[in-house]
Amino acid sequence: MSQSVMLRRPGERDESRARHHDGLSAEGIGWIGAHGGAGVTTLTRLLGGTDLGCRWPDREIGEPARVVVVGRTNLDGLRAVSRALNAIREGRHPAGMRLVGVVLIADAPGRLPGPLVGRIRLLRSVAPVWRVPWVPSFRVGEEPKRQPRQLARLAALVDAGSDGKRR
């Protein structure tokens, strides 16, 4: 990702997390939005982990080393994911950060057009990709009555890197 999105003013910290660490944490998983509105907050709410917004993990506050890049399945979302993966390939990320894969969240119901499917194939050649289908209840901040099986797979991924506690 070429630019970080800052949700707080520079120098402002969440004091509950402002303890000093020497590096990224081996515990947990961090969700990185390739773009605004990617679905990072929803995944964090449903599955746990750390919502990193649209930025790399911060070693000074011991955020997770294991990260997943999240994007929507529209053209702009897939391009943003490609840019994030390119930044990782070029080494423009914190030392010790490890990409677990990419989560693509459907931007609309139904099948994707061929050109978008082709872009997803290209992403799969670079990193593991998990797709989350369109879930109407996500739009209004509710949990679905029945969780898509893709979320269960992602929950297992989160649990595999945690200390047994969901965050």
Side-chain angles (χ1 to χ4, degrees), residues 25-41:
S25 173
E27 299 293 324
I29 195 157
W31 305 101
I32 298 175
H35 55 87
V40 168
T41 301

Side-chain angles (χ1 to χ4, degrees), residues 50-70:
T50 302
D51 182 339
L52 297 172
C54 295
R55 63 174 177 78
W56 302 127
D58 187 340
R59 64 186 315 112
E60 289 193 24
I61 56 176
E63 290 179 325
R66 297 175 62 241
V67 301
V68 176
V69 174
V70 181

Side-chain angles (χ1 to χ4, degrees), residues 9-148:
R9 290 183 297 228
E12 184 180 3
R13 287 213 183 264
D14 178 353
E15 293 304 319
S16 65
R17 296 173 57 187
R19 57 194 186 285
H20 180 72
H21 287 271
D22 290 333
L24 297 174
S25 173
E27 299 293 324
I29 195 157
W31 305 101
I32 298 175
H35 55 87
V40 168
T41 301
T42 299
L43 290 173
T44 303
R45 179 174 45 82
L46 294 172
L47 304 175
T50 302
D51 182 339
L52 297 172
C54 295
R55 63 174 177 78
W56 302 127
D58 187 340
R59 64 186 315 112
E60 289 193 24
I61 56 176
E63 290 179 325
R66 297 175 62 241
V67 301
V68 176
V69 174
V70 181
R72 293 286 178 174
T73 57
N74 59 26
L75 181 61
D76 288 336
L78 296 174
R79 284 179 175 164
V81 169
S82 293
R83 285 191 300 272
L85 294 178
N86 190 51
I88 293 169
R89 183 185 62 79
E90 292 175 351
R92 294 184 281 133
H93 59 80
M97 188 190 92
R98 294 185 314 277
L99 177 69
V100 174
V102 172
V103 171
L104 298 175
I105 300 177
D107 66 310
R111 292 180 174 249
L112 290 175
L116 299 180
V117 173
R119 285 183 174 273
I120 292 171
R121 281 191 194 114
L122 181 62
L123 294 174
R124 281 192 171 126
S125 72
V126 176
V129 173
W130 294 271
R131 289 182 58 190
V132 176
W134 176 256
V135 180
S137 58
F138 286 171
R139 294 184 88 191
V140 293
E142 296 175 358
E143 290 199 33
K145 291 178 182 161
R146 204 176 73 211
Q147 291 278 3

